[in-house]
Amino acid sequence: MSIEFVGPAILAADGGVIYIAKLDGKNVQCHFSYEALEDVDPDSVFGDALEHFSKHQLILLSAAEKKLLKGLGHNGQLQISSYDLRLE
């Protein structure tokens, strides 16, 4: 299985962030919920979602990678919520 995060980070309609990954050469739209962005670093002040995503990109993409490796993406979409940040 080949996973490559290619981006770019785009603001989603719900205030979250969308980031494109390639899974075995096919695009997967990874959607990071607004709540996941807030919860990735609860001690920091949440302002601009794209800046916050950029600051915590490694942690967020790691959560997405874990879900992709488990085969949890469907129809070219992957949802990442606060719960996914707690998974090991």
Side-chain angles (χ1 to χ4, degrees):
M1 180 179 291
S2 170
I3 301 171
E4 180 184 4
F5 291 99
V6 295
I10 301 166
L11 188 62
D14 67 353
V17 170
I18 295 170
Y19 201 85
I20 303 298
K22 287 205 177 275
L23 177 62
D24 295 330
K26 296 181 183 175
N27 282 355
V28 176
Q29 183 175 295
C30 301
H31 178 262
F32 298 86
S33 72
Y34 181 86
E35 290 79 15
L37 294 173
E38 283 184 316
D39 291 346
V40 70
D41 184 4
D43 294 330
S44 71
V45 175
F46 185 78
D48 180 82
L50 293 174
E51 285 181 28
H52 202 71
F53 178 86
S54 179
K55 182 179 177 184
H56 302 289
Q57 186 170 337
L58 184 61
I59 294 168
L60 293 163
L61 294 182
S62 177
E65 181 179 36
K66 288 175 186 176
K67 287 190 79 167
L68 288 169
L69 288 170
K70 291 179 181 180
L72 298 176
H74 301 286
N75 299 321
Q77 307 253 332
L78 180 72
Q79 301 295 320
I80 298 90
S81 67
S82 294
Y83 175 78
D84 299 313
L85 300 176
R86 295 177 189 94
L87 296 178
E88 293 193 346

